[in-house]
């Protein structure tokens, strides 16, 4: 199958070079919730890129990360004490599994080493 070249996107639609509109039903990233080319998100991205494009969290942080962490902790009623940022879903799941294992190990339950999953999930 040949990839379809896209010239631009807006809201829930992708547009080809010849003007064909394709509804984007793929629920990746934020587009299914906020749409493509969202003005609020674009403005925030532009403002951030003017300051810095990327900072590794290997001993570093920055104000937007701190603010987001504080907001996330606040909406969980301070039930959690830390926030972990991952750059993709598979890394987030890997870290969650490792944290669960480490939690049980720290509680003296080192025999808890089995994870359940759904076939085809």
């Amino acid at each position: 199958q040949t990839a379809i070249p896209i010239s631009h996107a807006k809201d829930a639609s992708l547009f080809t070079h010849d003007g064909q509109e394709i509804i984007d039903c793929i629920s990746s990233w934020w587009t299914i919730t906020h749409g493509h080319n969202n003005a609020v998100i674009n403005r925030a991205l532009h403002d951030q890129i003017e300051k810095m494009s990327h900072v590794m969290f290997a001993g570093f942080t920055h104000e937007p990360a701190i603010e987001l962490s504080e907001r996330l902790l606040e909406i969980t009623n301070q039930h959690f004490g830390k926030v972990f940022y991952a750059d993709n879903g598979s890394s987030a799941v890997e870290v969650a599994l490792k944290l669960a294992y480490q939690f049980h190990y720290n509680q003296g339950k080192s025999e808890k080493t089995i994870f359940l999953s759904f076939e085809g999930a």
Side-chain angles (χ1 to χ4, degrees):
Q1 182 176 350
T2 303
I4 301 169
I6 300 299
S7 65
H8 64 285
K10 179 70 178 154
D11 299 326
S13 297
L14 304 171
F15 297 90
T16 63
H17 293 282
D18 62 1
Q20 181 183 4
E21 180 178 0
I22 302 167
I23 296 174
D24 184 356
C25 295
I26 299 173
S27 61
S28 65
W29 296 26
W30 60 82
T31 56
I32 199 73
T33 304
H34 303 292
H36 291 279
N37 209 13
N38 179 289
V40 173
I41 293 172
N42 286 355
R43 189 169 32 263
L45 289 169
H46 179 267
D47 291 347
Q48 183 59 43
I49 201 76
E50 289 289 321
K51 296 174 191 169
M52 67 182 109
S53 61
H54 175 71
V55 172
M56 297 222 8
F57 288 120
F60 300 99
T61 193
H62 49 79
E63 195 60 35
I66 294 168
E67 288 176 13
L68 179 58
S69 297
E70 289 171 349
R71 289 177 61 192
L72 290 170
L73 293 172
E74 183 180 310
I75 65 173
T76 61
N77 295 320
Q78 301 297 324
H79 181 75
F80 301 101
K82 296 188 184 297
V83 172
F84 180 86
Y85 291 108
D87 63 340
N88 59 63
S90 59
S91 293
V93 170
E94 176 188 354
V95 170
L97 292 170
K98 289 177 177 179
L99 286 170
Y101 175 81
Q102 188 67 50
F103 171 80
H104 288 294
Y105 182 86
N106 291 351
Q107 298 296 310
K109 299 176 183 175
S110 60
E111 72 280 0
K112 290 190 169 264
T113 59
I114 297 173
F115 291 95
L116 300 178
S117 66
F118 295 102
E119 187 173 329

